[in-house]
């Protein structure tokens, strides 16, 4: 039998060398994730309309592959996804977020606006050691560094940005959480940058509506 390239393709319940399993947060007793990127259901007894109860053996779950073509390179961008069920409800997750939340720390995009990426850029490789938590800004910068997209700042017509470096930076701004809660009010972008650690350019781009958020915050001109 040919050796499988990625661990998630291995459907055997026998653990891979070096593989560790942990309960998935929120699905304890139902599913476990491995540090190799695999996910399995556990043995369970479920209701049955005729037999009253039915035993269901645990198994390694199949992971669906989502491919989105990169506009610049034409290469596919890979995301592995998994479906988990609990108490009659179905839930769909990005596999790398499940693995990261299980082995590193729990994350909630709506609260922190953070992304989990594959360090080597290979979406099939969701081993925990290949995962990294980044902000949207860091994720975008990585795309430019890998030359998978052209920076807006690189291609934009700056002749229309006469006030970009002066007057614009002196405008007052308001800081909001991802959920829209007002976090602060600053007399200038320079002050906002100094007190929050967010870059001035990033704040301006968010305030202009070019970017959605930076470091988990939304900015609007006051």
């Amino acid at each position: 039998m040919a050796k499988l390239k990625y661990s998630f393709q291995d459907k055997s319940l026998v653990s891979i060398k070096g593989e560790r399993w942990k309960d998935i947060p929120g699905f304890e007793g139902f599913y476990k994730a491995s540090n190799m990127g695999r996910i399995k259901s556990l043995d369970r007894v479920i209701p049955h309309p005729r037999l009253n109860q039915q035993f269901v053996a645990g198994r390694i779950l199949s992971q669906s592959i989502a491919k989105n073509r990169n506009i610049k390179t034409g290469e596919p961008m890979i995301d592995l996804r998994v479906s988990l069920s609990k108490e009659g409800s179905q839930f769909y997750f990005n596999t790398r977020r499940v693995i990261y939340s299980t082995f590193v720390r729990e994350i909630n995009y709506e609260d922190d606006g953070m992304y989990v990426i594959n360090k080597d850029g290979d979406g099939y490789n969701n081993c925990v050691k290949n995962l990294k938590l980044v902000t949207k800004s860091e994720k975008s910068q990585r795309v430019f560094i890998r030359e998978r997209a052209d920076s807006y700042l690189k291609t934009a017509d700056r002749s229309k940005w006469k006030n970009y470096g002066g007057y614009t930076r002196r405008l007052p701004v308001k800081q909001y959480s991802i959920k829209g809660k007002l976090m602060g009010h600053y007399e200038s972008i320079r002050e906002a940058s100094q007190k929050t650690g967010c870059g001035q350019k990033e704040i301006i781009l968010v305030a202009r509506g070019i970017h959605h958020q930076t470091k988990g915050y939304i900015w609007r001109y006051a």
Side-chain angles (χ1 to χ4, degrees), residues 175 189 192-194 196-200 202-203 214-215 217 219:
Q175 176 191 23
I189 288 174
S193 176
Q194 291 174 343
T196 65
C198 296
Q200 294 185 43
E202 285 71 23
I203 293 175
T214 179
K215 292 190 176 181
Y217 297 114
W219 296 90

Side-chain angles (χ1 to χ4, degrees), residues 77-100:
M77 298 178 289
I78 304 299
D79 279 318
L80 294 183
R81 298 172 183 175
V82 65
S83 172
L84 308 180
S85 60
K86 180 181 177 182
E87 298 175 351
S89 297
Q90 202 81 5
F91 303 88
Y92 299 91
F93 297 100
N94 182 297
T95 300
R96 58 176 172 260
R97 292 184 70 86
V98 173
I99 302 301
Y100 193 93

Side-chain angles (χ1 to χ4, degrees), residues 74-219:
E75 298 175 354
M77 298 178 289
I78 304 299
D79 279 318
L80 294 183
R81 298 172 183 175
V82 65
S83 172
L84 308 180
S85 60
K86 180 181 177 182
E87 298 175 351
S89 297
Q90 202 81 5
F91 303 88
Y92 299 91
F93 297 100
N94 182 297
T95 300
R96 58 176 172 260
R97 292 184 70 86
V98 173
I99 302 301
Y100 193 93
S101 292
T102 301
F103 285 90
V104 184
R105 73 172 179 86
E106 290 189 53
I107 51 175
N108 186 326
Y109 176 76
E110 292 185 356
D111 292 335
D112 53 35
M114 303 293 282
Y115 291 78
V116 178
I117 64 171
N118 303 94
K119 292 179 181 178
D120 63 0
D122 187 348
Y124 291 113
N125 181 10
N126 287 320
C127 295
V128 67
K129 64 181 180 181
N130 190 45
L131 303 179
K132 181 181 180 181
L133 192 66
V134 298
T135 63
K136 183 174 182 178
S137 177
E138 291 170 333
K139 182 173 180 285
S140 297
Q141 290 173 9
R142 184 171 182 263
V143 172
F144 300 141
I145 292 172
R146 296 176 63 209
E147 298 183 346
R148 295 179 66 84
D150 291 321
S151 170
Y152 173 82
L153 296 176
K154 181 179 179 181
T155 60
D157 180 5
R158 299 194 180 209
S159 64
K160 300 178 181 180
W161 295 10
K162 295 180 180 180
N163 296 323
Y164 182 81
Y167 174 73
T168 300
R169 293 175 190 258
R170 295 194 296 272
L171 290 175
V173 288
K174 291 182 179 181
Q175 176 191 23
Y176 296 88
S177 69
I178 292 295
K179 290 187 175 181
K181 180 181 178 181
L182 180 63
M183 305 294 291
H185 183 285
Y186 304 94
E187 293 303 315
S188 69
I189 288 174
R190 186 184 301 276
E191 179 189 9
S193 176
Q194 291 174 343
K195 292 187 176 180
T196 65
C198 296
Q200 294 185 43
K201 289 183 179 179
E202 285 71 23
I203 293 175
I204 292 172
L205 291 173
V206 174
R208 285 172 173 263
I210 297 171
H211 288 174
H212 175 63
Q213 59 89 22
T214 179
K215 292 190 176 181
Y217 297 114
I218 296 172
W219 296 90

